[in-house]
Amino acid sequence: MAYPDSAAAAATASASYDPEQPTASPIPITTARGKSSSGEMMESAQEPLLNEEPRQSEKYSLLAAILPFLFPAFGGLLYGYDIGATSSATISIQSPTLSGISWYQLSSVQVGLITSGSLYGALAGSVLAFNVADFLGRRKELIFSSVLYLVGALVTALAPNFVVMVIGRLVYGIGIGLAMHAAPMYIAETAPSQIRGQLISLKEFFIVIGMLLGYLVGSLLVEAVSGWRYMYGVSVPLALIMGIGMWWLPASPRWILLRAIQGKGKLHDLREFAISCLCRLRGRAIGDSAPQQVDEILSELSQLSGEKEATTAEMFQGKCLKALTIGAGLILFQQLTGQPSVLYYAAAIFQTAGFSAASDATRASIFLALLKLIITGLAVLVVDRVGRRPLLLGGVSGMVISLFLLGSYYTFLDDVPAVAVVGLLVYVGCYQLSFGPIGWLMISEIFPLRLRGRGMSIAVLVNFGTNALVTFAFSPLEDLVGAGSVFFIFGGIAVVSVIFIFFVIPETKGLTLEEIEANLL
């Protein structure tokens, strides 16, 4: 991609510079506002942050903005594909005639390990990200994730026995944990603020596309000999595309500038490197404004973040505690309102309603994946116009209604299957309009840059940990109190989540990441 002439010198000077090699450097930062951003300046800067004058809309070319979204979004696509493909792979691998293996007689525990192996790997990946993410940077974390996707898919597809297969599932899952941690951050930090919400929400769209692709591939290969190997093998070329794309993309300019104010390299070199990266991310449309935009970001980060590197204790203090409450709270309610469990009843609900085409679980899953895709696409189109809060409040309120409909069906309306079908469809649609895309969008926006890596790690850990808990606890809870009561419990939690959204969740539409940190936390 060609650079604007004004930035060509910066790009050339920084072409071989690696910002991840720490070298001691004094930091007298001359910003666009003509002030030094040394430690003394940061202590004495008392003027209002980011409210002095409205920021001009960022200039960008559409193609240049899409590519930095596309390759990180493959991390979500590979996550969704694994969900869809595994539903058919567990059927294929247990077939005496079609599995192509001698160890097809698997116990329920072994099938559960295959199904949830990637989930537990994702939990491990979340813990790993907490310790290494800020050191690696968003781009290198995504490259590492693509390597783990590739290795995990190959080991799983070629597994000679059950133990090796589970190891492959765990490795793949670590890739999921890293990708779901780094992709939203990279997209948020590189996207123009005008379309940031749409691009991050599109990542959820790619997860659903991956699920749909997994269901389709599974339905085509479920009757093939050793079909499960091919199902998992499809992930290999997708992981290669992701890895090559991330290798080509530039690093996040905001992460580079954070390294600068923390003294992790020579200021001049890091600034020039950030300018060249921003030029690549915005394309020719940025003209000669890249140095000014970089200096504005550098000035704002200097005032907001300070020079020192974040500590674990700071995660539970001040701004980050508020961000953690918002982000982790959203993710917690996203899972505790039953999302992992409601879809388990999809096939049974369609069967009781008399839909012959949906009597097959795979076809029902494909239908629901298409519905999820359509509604997610609608959310992507309106999120930056309508805003985050209206979509969350409206969508979760719809989930409350749908969960009480499902609870009523399984408690005293079992002779009216239309109630269950309507409840299921409304639930899926409202979830994809609210918690599905907006949850990941908000956690990628809300954390201060200096703490964003660790904050996202905690949020992702909460996501996969709660998912595992709800998935594990659903069947015992159903046996204990009945399906109807379980759905009523989910509905009650959804009511609490509406209250939480109304009183706690801010509106971030149209704000830069620095404005969110300064004005909303």
Side-chain angles (χ1 to χ4, degrees):
M1 185 177 298
Y3 296 157
D5 293 339
S6 62
T12 302
S14 59
S16 61
Y17 183 71
D18 185 355
E20 295 167 16
Q21 299 300 321
T23 56
S25 160
I27 300 192
I29 300 173
T30 302
T31 69
R33 297 172 184 171
K35 296 187 179 184
S36 166
S37 65
S38 63
E40 290 78 7
M41 184 283 287
M42 281 180 252
E43 292 175 2
S44 62
Q46 299 295 327
E47 68 268 22
L49 295 178
L50 310 180
N51 287 323
E52 299 170 358
E53 58 186 32
R55 181 193 290 266
Q56 293 182 349
S57 296
E58 298 175 60
K59 298 176 182 178
Y60 62 93
S61 68
L62 188 58
L63 180 62
I66 287 176
L67 290 179
F69 149 79
L70 183 62
F71 295 115
F74 264 78
L77 187 143
L78 283 159
Y79 172 40
Y81 178 81
D82 184 70
I83 295 172
T86 298
S87 65
S88 296
T90 52
I91 298 173
S92 172
I93 201 171
Q94 295 181 85
S95 170
T97 57
L98 299 175
S99 64
I101 54 176
S102 59
W103 40 279
Y104 62 86
Q105 292 181 316
L106 301 174
S107 67
S108 58
V109 174
Q110 289 175 315
V111 174
L113 284 174
I114 293 173
T115 304
S116 61
S118 61
L119 183 61
Y120 294 118
L123 283 170
S126 304
V127 176
L128 178 63
F130 185 86
N131 296 303
V132 304
D134 284 330
F135 170 75
L136 285 177
R138 293 44 164 144
R139 172 179 165 269
K140 286 190 175 180
E141 186 179 355
L142 284 165
I143 293 173
F144 186 34
S145 169
S146 69
V147 172
L148 291 171
Y149 272 138
L150 178 65
V151 173
L154 283 173
V155 171
T156 303
L158 301 175
N161 55 55
F162 171 76
V163 173
V164 174
M165 184 178 187
V166 171
I167 292 173
R169 301 289 294 140
L170 289 171
V171 171
Y172 193 96
I174 296 173
I176 292 175
L178 293 178
M180 299 306 288
H181 171 264
M185 287 196 299
Y186 185 88
I187 297 170
E189 292 178 9
T190 59
S193 58
Q194 304 98 299
I195 58 171
R196 186 180 65 240
Q198 289 182 326
L199 291 180
I200 300 175
S201 300
L202 267 174
K203 186 187 71 66
E204 174 73 15
F205 190 76
F206 267 62
I207 294 175
V208 179
I209 289 177
M211 292 174 60
L212 180 59
L213 179 63
Y215 291 135
L216 289 172
V217 170
S219 66
L220 292 174
L221 296 175
V222 72
E223 295 183 358
V225 176
S226 297
W228 62 274
R229 295 188 186 274
Y230 301 113
M231 294 176 201
Y232 287 121
V234 169
S235 298
V236 172
L238 298 176
L240 278 172
I241 293 172
M242 176 185 172
I244 294 171
M246 289 310 308
W247 187 271
W248 174 79
L249 285 174
S252 160
R254 282 183 168 88
W255 178 77
I256 295 169
L257 296 175
L258 177 64
R259 307 287 283 182
I261 65 173
Q262 291 177 342
K264 297 297 180 65
K266 295 180 180 179
L267 171 63
H268 177 269
D269 290 339
L270 287 167
R271 178 180 175 276
E272 297 301 304
F273 188 71
I275 290 171
S276 70
C277 290
L278 188 61
C279 289
R280 289 185 60 191
L281 290 165
R282 296 291 183 267
R284 291 184 178 275
I286 197 170
D288 58 358
S289 63
Q292 178 185 352
Q293 289 188 31
V294 165
D295 284 340
E296 287 178 355
I297 296 172
L298 191 56
S299 173
E300 292 162 358
L301 290 178
S302 298
Q303 296 179 54
L304 291 169
S305 300
E307 290 183 8
K308 63 180 181 178
E309 193 168 1
T311 64
T312 302
E314 287 182 82
M315 295 300 307
F316 305 97
Q317 300 173 6
K319 288 184 176 182
C320 198
L321 177 60
K322 184 174 181 180
L324 198 60
T325 302
I326 294 169
L330 269 179
I331 295 300
L332 189 69
F333 282 119
Q334 180 191 65
Q335 300 299 324
L336 290 181
T337 47
Q339 191 270 150
S341 303
V342 171
L343 295 182
Y344 293 160
Y345 271 81
I349 288 173
F350 280 121
Q351 287 173 1
T352 58
F355 290 92
S356 59
S359 60
D360 180 87
T362 302
R363 293 178 184 176
S365 299
I366 291 174
F367 172 78
L368 286 177
L370 284 171
L371 176 63
K372 286 162 73 72
L373 195 66
I374 294 169
I375 301 299
T376 305
L378 176 62
V380 168
L381 290 175
V382 303
V383 65
D384 278 323
R385 283 178 284 179
V386 175
R388 285 62 159 156
R389 276 174 55 87
L391 289 179
L392 281 170
L393 288 170
V396 179
S397 297
M399 289 171 60
V400 171
I401 296 172
S402 65
L403 286 167
F404 279 104
L405 282 176
L406 288 168
S408 299
Y409 170 73
Y410 281 100
T411 303
F412 47 79
L413 293 176
D414 55 345
D415 58 340
V416 190
V419 171
V421 174
V422 170
L424 175 65
L425 297 181
V426 170
Y427 180 91
V428 171
C430 289
Y431 176 86
Q432 291 305 134
L433 198 63
S434 55
F435 274 144
I438 308 300
W440 289 104
L441 168 58
M442 291 292 295
I443 64 173
S444 66
E445 294 179 321
I446 204 67
F447 287 104
L449 177 61
R450 190 163 57 101
L451 302 162
R452 188 168 295 143
R454 292 185 174 183
M456 280 289 294
S457 300
I458 294 175
V460 173
L461 184 63
V462 169
N463 174 75
F464 288 113
T466 314
N467 189 317
L469 177 64
V470 172
T471 302
F472 174 79
F474 183 79
S475 293
L477 193 59
E478 180 192 7
D479 291 340
L480 184 65
V481 300
S485 297
V486 172
F487 285 122
F488 283 133
I489 292 172
F490 286 151
I493 296 173
V495 171
V496 176
S497 70
V498 172
I499 298 171
F500 173 81
I501 292 166
F502 185 82
F503 287 104
V504 177
I505 303 301
E507 180 57 72
T508 59
K509 178 184 70 171
L511 300 177
T512 68
L513 298 179
E514 292 74 38
E515 288 169 337
I516 292 171
E517 180 178 347
N519 300 330
L520 299 182
L521 296 180

